[in-house]
C-alpha cells in the first residue's frame, strides 16, 4: 500500500503544516533530493494548489518499534470502537491523545 503524502494550500500555510509534511515525507523514505510534484487546480492547470511526494519516491514501508503501552492503548481503543454502537464522540479526547502519542513515537524514527 502506497502512501499519499501531500500538502495543499486551501487555507493558511503555516510553518507547522510544512514541517508536518516534511516529517511525513522523511518518515516514508523521501530524502533531501526528492523532487516534489505540483498539485494542479483541475479547472486551471496553471494554478498550483500544493505539492506531493511522487509515487514510488517514498520508499518501502519499514517497521518501527512502538512502546507496548501505546500499542495496548490503541488496541483497547479500537476494541471499544469496534464493539460500540457507532457513537464515538465520548472517545474523542482519548483518540486525540493516542493520536498525539502515536505521532510522537513515529517521529522518533524520522531520518533513520
Amino acid at each position: 500500500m502506497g502512501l499519499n503524502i501531500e500538502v495543499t494550500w486551501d487555507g493558511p500555510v503555516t510553518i507547522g503544516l510544512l514541517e508536518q509534511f516534511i516529517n511525513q515525507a522523511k518518515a516514508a523514505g523521501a530524502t533531501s533530493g526528492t523532487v516534489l510534484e505540483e498539485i494542479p487546480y483541475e479547472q486551471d492547470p496553471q494554478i498550483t494548489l500544493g505539492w506531493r511526494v511522487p509515487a514510488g519516491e517514498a520508499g518501502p514501508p519499514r517497521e518501527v518499534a512502538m512502546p507496548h503501552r501505546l500499542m495496548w492503548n490503541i488496541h483497547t481503543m479500537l476494541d471499544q470502537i469496534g464493539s460500540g454502537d457507532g457513537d464515538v464522540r465520548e472517545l474523542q479526547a482519548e483518540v486525540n491523545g493516542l493520536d498525539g502519542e502515536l505521532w510522537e513515537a513515529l517521529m522518533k524514527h524520522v531520518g533513520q
Side-chain angles (χ1 to χ4, degrees):
M1 176 174 111
L3 296 175
N4 185 21
I5 302 166
E6 62 184 34
V7 63
T8 57
W9 35 87
D10 50 353
V13 178
T14 64
I15 295 295
L17 181 66
L18 292 176
E19 181 181 37
Q20 183 179 9
F21 169 71
I22 291 168
N23 286 340
Q24 288 174 348
K26 285 181 176 180
T31 66
S32 60
T34 300
V35 177
L36 302 175
E37 293 178 347
E38 291 183 344
I39 302 171
Y41 181 55
E42 289 182 16
Q43 280 74 23
D44 184 355
Q46 299 293 339
I47 299 173
T48 300
L49 296 178
W51 299 309
R52 82 169 50 94
V53 175
E57 288 289 319
R62 58 191 175 110
E63 293 188 23
V64 296
M66 182 186 301
H68 181 266
R69 182 193 54 76
L70 179 57
M71 207 178 330
W72 181 260
N73 288 344
I74 291 171
H75 166 72
T76 302
M77 175 65 58
L78 292 174
D79 184 55
Q80 288 176 355
I81 292 169
S83 63
D85 62 1
D87 185 3
V88 295
R89 290 177 288 186
E90 63 192 39
L91 301 173
Q92 189 67 42
E94 194 173 344
V95 168
N96 288 338
L98 286 173
D99 179 54
E101 288 183 54
L102 180 59
W103 182 252
E104 193 175 303
L106 288 171
M107 287 302 100
K108 289 179 182 176
H109 298 280
V110 171
Q112 290 184 355

